[in-house]
């Protein structure tokens, strides 16, 4: 796994540039308005750390917790746009967190996540031990990887996907209550990450499947791009987001969706981890287009989407829902449904609606749903 010093040159470059083009795209900075937690400020702190000007400390870990890893800053970054070098917050920030954790610092919120994953295989920790995933053997075509959030906090996504896959007669098995390890990677707890990945790979291998699908973009991205680094080699299965799978079935005509209410206005929120990490933004739209839905685009969409704050939901919950509420304030007027394709975005934006009404007197009846939950209602 990458050490922080690998990023010395790129961090130096930002510190000499300091253009600030990233500032307004950062969801954290837009709410907190403190230079220290802006993308530029965080890189300046890391620069000082790498030069030995500041020492590791709990307060440093606390300030670096202020990042959702949404990558919005990268889209507008002067260096990324104008040079062949690339500022990659998805690597730099977790590396810095790991550096501080290695030095013995910890946040109580991080500790809760780590303990929960170890005890229950789920970041929320409220999973009954007995319901922990058993290792099954067998031979199924597709594994539906539920992920922490859809397993316990938004069961309806699980139920909807299982129902759609069953109707499509897909030979699949659901794996619930297994954490892919990304939450630990993200907070910088890299100790034992390999053990979690090895354990998960063992579960997947025993089922001898050729495809792993999930509604969680973070799980998909982590399994697809990070697992091969640990298992040293190509994964013996494909990894797909559920919207890619549904799009294929819609295009082949096997998934027929019957939607007739032409007065319903639908907006779509692109999850950061789906759009910016995986470049998946057309697939959900193609499904909705196929249903002849009146899709209204949000002003910030696709690669320029705005974060819902979900990346700090367990660490900085108040900030997380404030960011979600601000995203809700940007939905087009009279939107009936706000759809997205990520369990974390779904629950966070749902909370954002409540906060937007209470805090900003925002008048809306919008219903937030995951795409799978939505289309499940209209299968012919
Ligand atoms: S990744 Fe997102 S939250 Fe983190 S600094 Fe960049 S814009 Fe801000
Ligand atoms: S836009 Fe890029 S180079 Fe400019 S301050 Fe932000 S991170 Fe640094």
């Amino acid at each position: 796994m990458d050490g922080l010093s690998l990023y010395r040159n790129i961090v130096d470059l930002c510190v000499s540039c300091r253009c600030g083009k990233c500032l307004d795209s950062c969801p954290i900075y837009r709410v907190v308005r403190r230079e220290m937690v802006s993308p530029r400020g965080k890189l300046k702190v890391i620069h000082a750390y790498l030069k030995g000007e500041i020492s590791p400390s709990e307060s440093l870990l606390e300030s670096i917790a202020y990042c959702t890893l949404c990558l919005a800053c990268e889209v507008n970054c002067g260096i990324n746009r104008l040079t062949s070098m690339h500022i990659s917050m998805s690597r730099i920030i977790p590396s810095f967190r790991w550096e501080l954790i290695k030095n013995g610092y910890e946040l109580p919120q991080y500790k809760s996540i780590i303990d929960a994953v170890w005890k229950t295989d789920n970041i929320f920790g409220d999973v009954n031990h007995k319901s922990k995933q058993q290792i099954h053997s067998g031979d199924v075509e597709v594994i539906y990887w539920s992920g922490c959030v859809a397993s316990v906090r938004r069961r309806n996504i699980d139920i909807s996907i299982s129902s759609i896959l069953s109707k499509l007669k897909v030979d699949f098995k659901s794996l619930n209550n297994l954490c892919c390890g990304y939450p630990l990677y993200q907070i910088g707890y890299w100790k034992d990450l390999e053990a979690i990945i090895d354990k998960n790979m063992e579960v997947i291998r025993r089922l001898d499947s050729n495809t792993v699908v999930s509604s969680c973009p973070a799980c998909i991205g982590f399994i697809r791009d990070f697992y091969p680094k640990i298992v040293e080699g190509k994964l013996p299965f494909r990894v797909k987001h559920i919207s890619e799978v549904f799009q294929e079935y819609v295009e082949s005509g096997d998934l027929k969706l019957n939607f007739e209410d032409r007065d319903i206005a639908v907006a779509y929120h692109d999850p950061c981890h789906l759009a910016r990490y995986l470049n998946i933004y057309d697939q959900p739209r193609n499904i909705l287009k196929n249903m002849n839905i009146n899709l209204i685009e949000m002003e910030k969409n696709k690669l320029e989407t705005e974060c819902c704050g979900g990346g700090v939901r367990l660490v900085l919950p108040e900030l997380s829902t404030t960011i979600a509420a601000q995203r809700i304030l940007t939905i087009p007027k009279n939107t009936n449904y706000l759809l997205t394709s990520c369990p974390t975005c779904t629950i966070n934006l749902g909370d954002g609606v409540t906060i937007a009404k209470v805090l900003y007197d925002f008048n809306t009846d919008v219903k937030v749903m995951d795409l799978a939950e939505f289309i499940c209602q209209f299968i012919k």
Side-chain angles (χ1 to χ4, degrees):
M1 278 175 270
D2 304 342
L4 187 64
S5 53
L6 255 184
Y7 306 106
R8 191 183 297 272
N9 291 346
I10 195 83
V11 170
D12 281 357
L13 215 53
C14 168
V15 169
S16 17
C17 166
R18 299 194 57 70
C19 65
K21 289 195 164 60
C22 52
L23 297 188
D24 285 338
S25 52
C26 176
I28 301 271
Y29 181 72
R30 280 203 306 270
V31 174
V32 178
R33 290 281 163 201
R34 284 204 322 262
E35 177 68 15
M36 175 92 168
V37 297
S38 72
R40 180 176 66 186
K42 284 187 277 253
L43 291 171
K44 180 94 167 89
V45 167
I46 293 170
H47 180 258
Y49 178 87
L50 284 168
K51 284 183 77 184
E53 291 168 0
I54 45 174
S55 309
S57 67
E58 192 176 318
S59 64
L60 217 48
L61 186 57
E62 218 168 82
S63 71
I64 211 69
Y66 282 71
C67 178
T68 63
L69 299 184
C70 70
L71 309 192
C73 52
E74 292 187 19
V75 176
N76 294 315
C77 172
I79 290 172
N80 290 359
R81 285 191 163 213
L82 302 172
T83 74
S84 56
M85 297 186 74
H86 188 83
I87 288 193
S88 174
M89 296 304 245
S90 62
R91 289 160 187 259
I92 298 173
I93 300 291
S95 296
F96 189 40
R97 290 172 179 162
W98 168 227
E99 179 75 23
L100 299 172
I101 288 172
K102 256 193 322 190
N103 275 284
Y105 297 97
E106 196 168 58
L107 299 183
Q109 306 96 304
Y110 283 4
K111 187 163 174 10
S112 307
I113 297 172
I114 296 160
D115 289 350
V117 170
W118 275 115
K119 283 192 197 128
T120 66
D121 278 332
N122 188 293
I123 48 171
F124 299 105
D126 51 7
V127 180
N128 183 341
H129 251 300
K130 289 192 184 123
S131 73
K132 276 180 74 171
Q133 187 68 49
Q134 305 293 317
I135 296 190
H136 292 275
S137 298
D139 187 359
V140 288
E141 214 173 290
V142 172
I143 288 174
Y144 164 54
W145 182 280
S146 181
C148 293
V149 183
S151 282
V152 299
R153 288 293 155 92
R154 190 74 175 200
R155 291 280 306 128
N156 196 42
I157 296 178
D158 257 10
I159 294 165
S160 305
I161 290 175
S162 296
S163 157
I164 299 170
L165 292 177
S166 299
K167 282 191 180 138
L168 290 167
K169 300 200 173 8
V170 175
D171 174 29
F172 77 100
K173 168 152 186 59
S174 294
L175 288 183
N176 322 96
N177 301 336
L178 271 181
C179 176
C180 69
Y182 179 71
L184 300 187
Y185 170 80
Q186 183 191 29
I187 63 171
Y189 186 79
W190 293 3
K191 183 174 170 284
D192 305 329
L193 198 51
E194 286 189 29
I196 290 180
I197 293 174
D198 285 343
K199 177 175 63 81
N200 289 344
M201 282 298 292
E202 175 63 13
V203 176
I204 297 172
R205 276 200 193 101
R206 284 199 188 199
L207 289 167
D208 203 20
S209 306
N210 56 32
T211 312
V212 172
V213 304
S214 179
S215 62
C216 175
C219 291
I220 288 299
F222 196 60
I223 295 173
R224 194 192 71 180
D225 299 333
F226 197 82
Y227 276 34
K229 292 183 190 168
I230 302 297
V231 299
E232 288 174 11
K234 219 169 150 254
L235 297 177
F237 48 82
R238 287 171 302 170
V239 187
K240 285 184 173 178
H241 187 256
I242 198 72
S243 62
E244 297 179 276
V245 177
F246 289 159
Q247 183 199 233
E248 284 165 15
Y249 278 106
V250 163
E251 283 177 353
S252 68
D254 292 323
L255 179 55
K256 292 190 174 58
L257 301 164
N258 185 20
F259 181 80
E260 280 166 4
D261 194 343
R262 300 286 156 246
D263 294 333
I264 294 284
V266 174
Y268 178 75
H269 162 83
D270 289 281
C272 303
H273 277 75
L274 195 60
R276 278 193 282 268
Y277 283 68
L278 301 174
N279 274 308
I280 295 178
Y281 40 81
D282 286 334
Q283 294 83 338
R285 286 175 173 78
N286 290 342
I287 296 168
L288 296 172
K289 229 182 266 168
N290 178 279
M291 295 168 77
N292 290 321
I293 276 181
N294 172 19
L295 178 68
I296 318 166
E297 287 292 353
M298 298 188 70
E299 196 186 323
K300 294 280 184 186
N301 59 36
K302 301 184 182 175
L303 294 176
E304 303 221 336
T305 186
E306 267 180 14
C307 177
C308 76
V312 290
R313 187 177 168 89
L314 291 181
V315 181
L316 302 161
E318 188 189 326
L319 176 59
S320 173
T321 38
T322 307
I323 294 170
Q326 295 207 341
R327 179 61 168 156
I328 292 298
L329 297 181
T330 70
I331 55 174
K333 226 175 154 209
N334 301 326
T335 300
N336 302 102
Y337 286 93
L338 176 62
L339 303 184
T340 187
S341 293
C342 165
T344 302
C345 291
T346 307
I347 57 171
N348 225 44
L349 290 169
D351 290 349
V353 171
T354 311
I355 301 298
K357 285 179 179 172
V358 172
L359 221 55
Y360 306 110
D361 295 325
F362 189 59
N363 186 11
T364 180
D365 290 322
V366 72
K367 198 164 178 205
V368 180
M369 289 181 100
D370 186 272
L371 182 70
E373 296 176 304
F374 183 75
I375 66 172
C376 188
Q377 309 171 97
F378 304 109
I379 296 188
K380 272 191 207 167

